Amino acid sequence: MSKNRGVIYLGPQHVEVQDIPDPKLEAPDGRRIEHAAILKIVATNICGSDQHMVRGRTTAPAGMVLGHEITGEVLEIGRDVEMVAKGDLVSVPFNVACGRCRTCRHGDTGVCLTVNPGRAGGAYGYVDMGGWIGGQAGYVMVPYADFNLMKFPDKDRAMAKIRDVTMLTDIFPTGFHGAVTAKVGVGSTVYVAGAGPVGLAAAASSRLLGAAVTMIGDFNPQRLAHAKAMGFEPIDLSQHDRLGEMIAEIVGVPEVDSAIDAVGFEARGHAGGEQPAVVLNQMMEITRAAGDIGIPGLYVTADPGAVDEAAKQGSLSLRFGQGWAKSHTLHTGQTPVLKYNRMLMQAILFDRCNIAEVVNAQVISLEDAPKAYADFDRGAASKYVIDPHGMIAS
Ligand code: ZN
Ligand code: ZN
């Protein structure tokens, strides 16, 4: 009998915790693989990108086990695994990557060419990402374990900061990638769109990289209050739609050096209602000439719930001429977590960044996951960390 349970997507706004099969050293196509490891999961977070699926805004099939933000203990390894051993505490990048293909060899692990027959890039528990089983569960299998897993050098020290280091699987590197690709550096003025967990992680990353001021725009008063308490400059987008004016009130000019989109395709405009291109257009408006725009927010190639036919295919009404005229650089795509997770682990372990506090990490049990999905969807200013085995000290 299986001892595993996991969070299953059953349809729009419907997730349940159910018994699921124990993981095996097996690829999604059923082949036995010896480069994989099986983990007992210590922490696994609910992500804003999971919400896109749970809201029915993707083509995710019912019955999928969710979860791509996994930290765990190695329980079993295949014959070919040499660099991790049973009992190691490891962080799993949300990207599934082979470490051998052309893009992996350049460090672009977000677009591995071999782990997903449908397109470049794989992930656990995510639609169109190769069918790798998700990790909002008790146990999970990780392929190419030597390449993908980051072992914590000191297990006790990492466990003492588990609420922080669990963010290394996705949102901290994703926020950091947003800031790095927006070329945030010492003295930068930064605007982050979206005060959810990735937006807050991007703001924390901007501070770590030396930004002079980091502004965060959102409509949600609870999230804005939390951003302010964390030392960032909140911008209340419900006031009016002249973002440049609100930025000028803070930095004296209606422009910033760097802008980061942590909202993605379910963006809303001031007038209410969805406008999938509104954030991207605002960023081109408020980023200075020759400035840089990082876009870690997710955009899709198919959106069954989109407001119009074009957006259903992922085509947006971008005012691209504005960005062209200002010589903007736009940087898109899934974050290659492996580029950043080790440096950010060190930043956490040596107290350079209180990421758990910044994103307001809340530890919950696996059985409470459906409630957390609902609360997060209502805009709770929290990042939910699932503790499936009760291993995180309260
Ligand atoms: Zn995530
Ligand atoms: Zn690869």
Side-chain angles (χ1 to χ4, degrees), residues 47 49 68-69 170-171 383:
C47 183
S49 60
H68 57 266
E69 302 192 359
D170 180 356
I171 64 162
K383 172 74 176 174

Side-chain angles (χ1 to χ4, degrees), residues 96-105 111-115 147:
V96 178
C98 74
R100 306 166 179 192
C101 70
R102 178 176 176 178
T103 54
C104 280
R105 287 162 77 104
V111 280
C112 172
L113 301 175
T114 70
V115 294
F147 182 68

Side-chain angles (χ1 to χ4, degrees), residues 54-127:
V54 171
R55 289 194 200 109
R57 294 301 294 272
T58 67
T59 50
M64 219 174 71
V65 183
L66 299 172
H68 57 266
E69 302 192 359
I70 307 160
T71 305
E73 232 174 45
V74 177
L75 206 60
E76 186 188 336
I77 54 173
R79 237 183 7 236
D80 297 340
V81 176
E82 298 176 347
M83 297 171 73
V84 292
K86 200 177 159 181
D88 286 347
L89 183 69
V90 292
S91 181
V92 186
F94 76 86
N95 325 101
V96 178
C98 74
R100 306 166 179 192
C101 70
R102 178 176 176 178
T103 54
C104 280
R105 287 162 77 104
H106 281 265
D108 297 318
T109 55
V111 280
C112 172
L113 301 175
T114 70
V115 294
N116 179 357
R119 62 201 266 183
Y124 307 88
Y126 212 86
V127 59

